[in-house]
Structure formats: C-alpha cells, structure tokens
Amino acid sequence: QVELVESGGGLVQPGGSLSLSCTASGSIVSISTMAWYRRAPGKERVVVATISPGGRTTYADSVKGRFAISRDNAKNTVYLQMNSLNPEDTAVYYCYAAAVHSSAYSLQNYWGQGTQVTVSS
C-alpha cells in the first residue's frame, strides 16, 4: 500500500528549532489531507497540524505561531517546521495521510512509524 517514511526528529534544546519531513511512497493515485500528530508519554495521540491539498492549514492551539506545516505535492511530502520548542513539545510525532492507492477504490488512512522529538537542556 502506501508507506509514509519520516525523517528528522531528535534532541533539541528549549527555544530551539527542528524540522520534520515525511514522504509517501507506493502506487499512489492521490493524496488528500496530510497531517502531523503527536503522542506525549502517558497521553493520547493528538493532532498537531493539518494541511489540505490546496495548502489550507489548521493548528492545535498549543503550537499556533510556533509550528508551520507545509507540503510539496510533487514530492508527496509533508513538512513540519517547529520553532521555539519547549519541553512540553516532547513527544513521538506521527505523519498522517489520507490517500488513494492504485489498488483501492477510496481514500484510506496511512500513518508513519513515528519519530521521537525530545526538547531538553
């Protein structure tokens, strides 16, 4: 089916920045919404940011003004630029895409493997 592979993530100091990327591969017919979710220790997975095929974005209140989601449709890639990071941003970040695979008849949900982001001094 469709595979989402993330890059980026790691350890960053408070106030620092980090960029994540996620590329979809496979026999993709189309990709609709792409998004980033995160799961902090002991917490449920929550949406961080979403982006439509046309570039319309939404953000969780906790990251507004600090994070920016973008996408390159030609590369089937979604990005998350994270600035002014604080320890509360520490979580496993997951890439999400709603996509149509060549063997499917409708949109399906796909998830990346997750990448650890740790904000600590």
Side-chain angles (χ1 to χ4, degrees), residues 78-96:
V78 63
Y79 307 91
L80 186 67
Q81 177 64 49
M82 302 183 291
N83 301 318
S84 301
L85 287 162
N86 58 63
E88 289 69 44
D89 296 315
T90 296
V92 177
Y93 285 70
Y94 297 90
C95 176
Y96 164 86

Side-chain angles (χ1 to χ4, degrees), residues 35-86:
W36 290 95
Y37 288 70
R38 69 186 183 188
R39 188 182 186 97
K43 301 289 187 178
E44 295 182 344
R45 186 185 306 186
V46 297
V47 65
V48 175
T50 70
I51 185 167
S52 73
R56 197 158 193 262
T57 61
T58 70
Y59 295 94
D61 288 341
S62 59
V63 306
K64 284 182 179 178
R66 300 189 297 118
F67 290 11
I69 188 171
S70 61
R71 65 191 287 170
D72 186 333
N73 292 330
K75 296 180 179 179
N76 290 337
T77 299
V78 63
Y79 307 91
L80 186 67
Q81 177 64 49
M82 302 183 291
N83 301 318
S84 301
L85 287 162
N86 58 63

Side-chain angles (χ1 to χ4, degrees), residues 2 27-32 71 76 98-102 107-108 110:
V2 177
S27 299
I28 301 169
V29 175
S30 63
I31 301 178
S32 185
R71 65 191 287 170
N76 290 337
V100 180
H101 187 264
S102 62
L107 287 168
Q108 302 292 324
Y110 298 94

